[in-house]
Amino acid sequence: MIGPPAFDRFAAVRTRIATRLGVLAVGSIAPVLAVAGPALASLKPDDGSVPGPSLGAGLTILIFVVIPVGVFLLIAGLASLPSALGKPRYRPGREWDHDPTWVQGPALDAGVASEGSARGGASAEW
């Protein structure tokens, strides 16, 4: 005999078919069990009919009012922090006292940009 026996080839086919059937069975049963989970919850002996102690008015106000307002104020404070530091800003018509910044590249050297000696704008310095 030169090659493997014929029954070995059929064993591989049977194994592949069995694997596919197993995957199909698990793939069919798993979603049904996942969806049926809430229906199976009624089988638990503790269904929540015995409530725990109540929170009370103070703790309820703390959890549902004070903590959310505190988080909001913290985020608002962090958002307004850069402008509250009081760094000097440029006002139109006033002297520019900051380091120069190369914004548009060689176009500035070609005379495209204007001189910026005009006054006016939101500062009302006409």
Side-chain angles (χ1 to χ4, degrees), residues 4-55:
F7 64 89
D8 284 340
R9 282 185 266 161
F10 293 124
V13 171
R14 276 189 245 124
T15 304
R16 189 173 3 155
I17 291 174
T19 304
R20 287 180 181 173
L21 287 176
V23 168
L24 182 65
V26 170
S28 299
I29 294 172
V32 172
L33 290 178
V35 172
L40 297 175
S42 65
L43 299 177
K44 288 178 38 179
D46 181 20
D47 60 352
S49 63
V50 180
S54 65
L55 292 177

Side-chain angles (χ1 to χ4, degrees), residues 12-113:
V13 171
R14 276 189 245 124
T15 304
R16 189 173 3 155
I17 291 174
T19 304
R20 287 180 181 173
L21 287 176
V23 168
L24 182 65
V26 170
S28 299
I29 294 172
V32 172
L33 290 178
V35 172
L40 297 175
S42 65
L43 299 177
K44 288 178 38 179
D46 181 20
D47 60 352
S49 63
V50 180
S54 65
L55 292 177
L59 192 56
T60 302
I61 291 172
L62 174 73
I63 291 174
F64 293 108
V65 175
V66 175
I67 292 176
V69 169
V71 169
F72 172 78
L73 291 176
L74 176 69
I75 292 172
L78 289 174
S80 64
L81 185 65
S83 64
L85 292 177
K87 294 182 179 179
R89 295 176 37 187
Y90 172 71
R91 301 289 181 189
R94 296 196 179 132
E95 187 69 28
W96 180 260
D97 57 351
H98 299 286
D99 295 333
T101 303
W102 191 14
V103 177
Q104 293 180 345
L108 290 176
D109 296 334
V112 175

